[in-house]
Amino acid sequence: MRIVVLDGYTLNPGDLSWSELQALGPCEIYERTPMAETLQRAQDAEIVLTNKTVLNEEIIAQLPTLKYIGVLATGYNVVDVDAASRRYIAVTNVPEYSTASVTQMVFAHLFNFCNHVADHSASVRAGAWSRSKDFCFWETPLVELHGKTMGIIGLGRIGFAVATAAKAFGMEVIAYNPSTPRRVPEGVTLTDLQSVFKKSDVVSLHCPLTKTNARFVNAGLLAQMKASAFLINTSRGPLIDEDELAKALNEGQLAGAGLDVLTKEPPDPSCPLLNAKNCYITPHIAWATRDARARLMRTAVDNLKAFLKGDTINVVNTAAISK
């Protein structure tokens, strides 16, 4: 079977190996694929792997040999799963690989707000400490997490891990999940969406992007946040109305936003959040530690091996392809 990787660079910029995937069959690996070239590159392939290259209904309909789409990520909104299911094409994803790394990034953003390590280090390097009349100085308020309230939207694997870490720092944790979660960490209180935004000192988003929750973080919810609160998003950019968040930040409705994702990636220079007050943006790297990417590669290969043997591991449309 012919295997095509449409955009392999972010998974493997050169520090991992494709050898196990290449051992499964003829394999073409592209670093990136422009939309205009997707159809040509995937033509006649039975297996296509993608990270962010979109496989919509129009493209899928023109790939008659396609049997398997492997998404090199947890979220699979880049694939029209319904269109794939109608053609009995299996779609797999890679859950869990980045849980530890994304949790780490949540707290990296949070610690940035609490301690401003880089800012204070830059001040010291610029001579501010040498000129100080005292043995110490601080240029921003310093925030202790103990006793503060962490609000989590989405209690999946990553939300669960973030809640557990927050408890370890002595935080109170409240959470909202649109459906009954499989498990709730000890000491975490489930509540409604409005209460999470109203009561929390930190709100962290950990939910998938669906057809119904795009831009659910809007002016109404932002207005309910404490002026001292922080918003963190390491899940999907379109969950937030970026114009309304920029406005809320600039007007001081909340103390800051730490974002690893945006609606458009890379962002246009006109994105209002790029220059919003107290908005710190990292370039979608929460998932990208080498350890996490190695787990992603391992699982992606295992998913495909299972499919080739007739098994279903991490298939997101099992019911449709088994009919």
Side-chain angles (χ1 to χ4, degrees):
M1 287 191 173
R2 179 169 174 255
I3 304 168
V4 174
V5 180
L6 292 173
D7 50 354
Y9 183 80
T10 51
L11 166 57
N12 180 18
D15 56 352
L16 300 175
S17 172
W18 292 106
S19 59
E20 287 196 56
L21 181 67
Q22 292 167 325
L24 300 179
C27 190
E28 296 175 49
I29 300 169
Y30 298 97
E31 290 190 345
R32 303 167 186 87
T33 294
M35 189 69 179
E37 297 180 31
T38 302
L39 184 59
Q40 175 188 345
R41 291 182 174 181
Q43 198 65 242
D44 300 324
E46 287 86 6
I47 296 160
V48 171
L49 304 185
T50 180
N51 190 327
K52 291 295 180 287
T53 302
V54 173
L55 292 171
N56 57 28
E57 182 173 17
E58 180 182 357
I59 291 173
I60 291 172
Q62 298 179 72
L63 299 173
T65 63
L66 188 59
K67 295 180 173 59
Y68 177 96
I69 298 171
V71 181
L72 301 172
T74 301
Y76 47 88
N77 52 293
V78 296
V79 176
D80 189 325
V81 176
D82 291 337
S85 297
R86 286 193 293 271
R87 291 164 177 80
Y88 304 102
I89 299 168
V91 180
T92 65
N93 72 333
V94 184
E96 295 191 64
Y97 77 94
S98 65
T99 300
S101 292
V102 175
T103 301
Q104 183 174 306
M105 179 61 86
V106 170
F107 284 89
H109 274 285
L110 184 51
F111 293 151
N112 174 53
F113 287 124
C114 293
N115 298 94
H116 293 270
V117 171
D119 293 338
H120 283 99
S121 179
S123 294
V124 170
R125 189 178 290 270
W129 199 8
S130 298
R131 296 189 297 269
S132 175
K133 296 179 180 180
D134 303 302
F135 74 95
C136 68
F137 73 94
W138 53 93
E139 297 180 333
T140 60
L142 303 177
V143 178
E144 183 176 88
L145 290 180
H146 186 90
K148 300 295 190 298
T149 298
M150 166 74 85
I152 295 175
I153 309 298
L155 266 183
R157 296 179 182 92
I158 296 175
F160 189 100
V162 171
T164 303
K167 293 293 293 183
F169 279 101
M171 301 184 76
E172 300 295 325
V173 182
I174 60 178
Y176 167 76
N177 205 70
S179 59
T180 302
R182 290 186 305 165
R183 53 182 185 153
V184 178
E186 184 177 353
V188 173
T189 301
L190 291 177
T191 187
D192 60 274
L193 182 64
Q194 307 286 333
S195 294
V196 171
F197 276 80
K198 184 179 295 185
K199 296 179 179 180
S200 298
D201 298 294
V202 186
V203 175
S204 191
L205 307 184
H206 299 289
C207 42
L209 178 65
T210 68
K211 295 177 180 178
T212 59
N213 68 2
R215 295 185 296 281
F216 85 93
V217 181
N218 54 25
L221 282 178
L222 293 168
Q224 297 187 48
M225 295 183 72
K226 300 176 183 180
S228 58
F230 308 118
L231 175 67
I232 297 175
N233 187 14
T234 54
S235 47
R236 288 291 181 265
L239 296 171
I240 295 174
D241 186 309
E242 293 181 346
D243 289 322
E244 294 184 355
L245 175 57
K247 185 174 185 291
L249 288 166
N250 291 330
E251 294 179 355
Q253 290 183 17
L254 65 159
L259 311 174
D260 189 57
V261 288
L262 292 173
T263 296
K264 183 178 180 181
E265 299 173 348
D268 287 328
S270 61
C271 174
L273 292 172
L274 296 181
N275 296 302
K277 182 180 178 182
N278 294 328
C279 188
Y280 294 83
I281 302 171
T282 47
H284 204 145
I285 55 172
W287 68 285
T289 62
R290 188 185 186 282
D291 288 334
R293 289 185 290 106
R295 285 191 292 270
L296 192 160
M297 178 77 83
R298 173 74 265 160
T299 305
V301 171
D302 287 346
N303 286 349
L304 181 52
K305 284 181 177 179
F307 172 78
L308 294 175
K309 293 178 181 178
D311 296 330
T312 55
I313 296 178
N314 297 322
V315 176
V316 301
N317 60 341
T318 304
I321 66 171
S322 61
K323 291 181 180 179

